């Protein structure tokens, strides 16, 4: 009996150490050419998104975003790998309408270059490159005609810094269909009860949901 109780206790501890996560998988493509896949999971510790994109080399972008009660981000972590090698990280924190973005560029793996940017605009919405679906998902949960947006990855390029933040326009063109416009780029977004189904970019890229998956994994933070 004692042995049975000990085993039962160990099983209970194991179940508490993992979380059942319902994931959604998307594929990014241009016409019939597949660019990569994106896996999205909404967990108790925030939204986790993993983009695996092939542009000659394989790029893997892992992000975790924690949103507040009003639907705006509070913590954002991202890691960028090229062919499995860590090349950059981003840490974003929003507190009291002050947003701080810290960039880590690993030109030297032992001594990354570090830059910090501060933004004081209220209610900033992150709109990452690399198809970070959760940020679009949260935008559609609290839709409004205009959003103050920030594209953290653009801050790595000094020539793009001025365009990293600005105003995006969101329009509802039909039931569950929206268009998002910013700096000459337009994205048509179609959703259903489960969330975003398809995103069609004006440059020809399409991101489309392909299936739902369920996985069991330890509760971990992206970027550690």
């Amino acid at each position: 009996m004692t042995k049975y109780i000990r085993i039962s206790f160990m099983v209970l501890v194991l179940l508490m150490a993992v979380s059942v996560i319902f994931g959604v998988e998307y594929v990014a493509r241009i016409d019939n050419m597949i660019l990569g896949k994106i896996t999205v999971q909404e967990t108790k510790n925030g939204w986790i998104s993993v983009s695996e994109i092939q542009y000659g080399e394989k790029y893997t972008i892992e992000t975790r975003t924690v949103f507040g009660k009003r639907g705006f981000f509070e913590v954002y972590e991202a890691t960028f790998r090229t062919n499995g090698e860590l090349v950059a990280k981003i840490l974003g924190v929003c507190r009291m309408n002050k947003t701080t973005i810290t960039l880590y560029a690993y030109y030297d793996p032992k001594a990354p270059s570090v830059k910090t940017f501060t933004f004081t605009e209220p209610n900033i919405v992150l709109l990452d490159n690399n198809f970070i679906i959760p940020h679009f998902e949260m935008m559609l949960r609290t839709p409004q005609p205009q959003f103050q947006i920030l594209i953290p990855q653009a801050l790595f390029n000094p020539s793009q810094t001025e365009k990293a933040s600005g105003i995006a326009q969101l329009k509802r063109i039909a039931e569950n269909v929206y268009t998002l416009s910013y700096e000459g780029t337009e994205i048509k977004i179609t959703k259903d009860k489960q969330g975003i189904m398809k995103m069609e970019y004006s440059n020809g890229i399409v991101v489309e949901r392909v299936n739902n998956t369920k996985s069991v994994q330890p509760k971990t933070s992206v970027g550690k």
Side-chain angles (χ1 to χ4, degrees):
M1 178 63 73
T2 302
K3 182 178 180 181
Y4 174 77
I5 293 174
R6 186 182 298 114
I7 294 174
S8 298
F9 177 74
M10 291 176 63
V11 172
L12 178 61
V13 170
L14 180 62
L15 290 174
M16 292 175 64
V18 300
S19 60
V20 178
I21 301 173
F22 292 89
V24 182
E25 185 174 304
Y26 294 81
V27 63
R29 58 180 172 82
I30 297 180
D31 296 327
N32 294 324
M33 182 177 71
I34 302 299
L35 300 177
K37 67 177 182 178
I38 304 98
T39 303
V40 178
Q41 299 169 337
E42 185 176 9
T43 77
K44 293 182 179 179
N45 297 320
W47 285 82
I48 295 174
S49 177
V50 180
S51 297
E52 296 178 332
I53 308 298
Q54 194 80 29
Y55 290 125
E57 297 180 300
K58 182 180 179 180
Y59 298 89
T60 303
I61 304 93
E62 302 180 31
T63 69
R64 181 179 73 96
T65 312
V66 178
F67 293 90
K69 295 181 179 179
R70 296 172 56 231
F72 296 99
F73 99 97
E74 293 182 347
V75 179
Y76 167 70
E77 302 171 278
T79 61
F80 303 82
R81 291 179 171 84
T82 301
N83 295 328
E85 181 179 348
L86 179 65
V87 294
K89 287 185 180 181
I90 299 177
L91 175 62
V93 178
C94 183
R95 294 284 186 271
M96 302 296 292
N97 286 328
K98 179 181 178 181
T99 299
T100 301
I101 303 291
T102 303
L103 309 179
Y104 301 85
Y106 288 85
Y107 306 113
D108 180 349
K110 297 182 179 180
S113 170
V114 181
K115 293 183 179 180
T116 300
F117 299 82
T118 301
F119 301 86
T120 57
E121 293 85 353
N123 301 330
I124 283 179
V125 173
L126 298 183
L127 281 189
D128 267 328
N129 300 325
N130 301 303
F131 320 117
I132 310 303
I133 304 293
H135 299 168
F136 295 93
E137 195 75 68
M138 292 300 295
M139 179 186 296
L140 296 186
R141 292 187 183 185
T142 55
Q144 57 192 55
Q146 293 185 336
F147 286 93
Q148 177 69 48
I149 71 163
L150 174 62
I151 304 173
Q153 285 115 316
L155 297 172
F156 280 111
N157 187 343
S159 66
Q160 297 294 320
T161 299
E162 292 184 359
K163 296 182 179 181
S165 64
I167 302 295
Q169 312 287 333
L170 181 68
K171 297 181 181 179
R172 181 177 179 272
I173 60 175
E175 185 176 2
N176 293 325
V177 182
Y178 298 82
T179 58
L180 179 69
S181 304
Y182 178 69
E183 290 290 337
T185 297
E186 184 171 283
I187 309 171
K188 180 181 176 183
I189 307 173
T190 306
K191 58 175 288 188
D192 60 11
K193 293 181 179 179
Q194 296 179 9
I196 291 176
M197 295 174 56
K198 182 186 291 187
M199 298 172 58
E200 301 168 84
Y201 289 73
S202 54
N203 62 3
I205 294 176
V206 175
V207 178
E208 191 168 13
R209 189 174 70 210
V210 291
N211 69 333
N212 287 359
T213 60
K214 183 174 73 173
S215 62
V216 180
Q217 65 181 43
K219 295 180 179 179
T220 58
S221 295
V222 173
K224 292 187 178 180

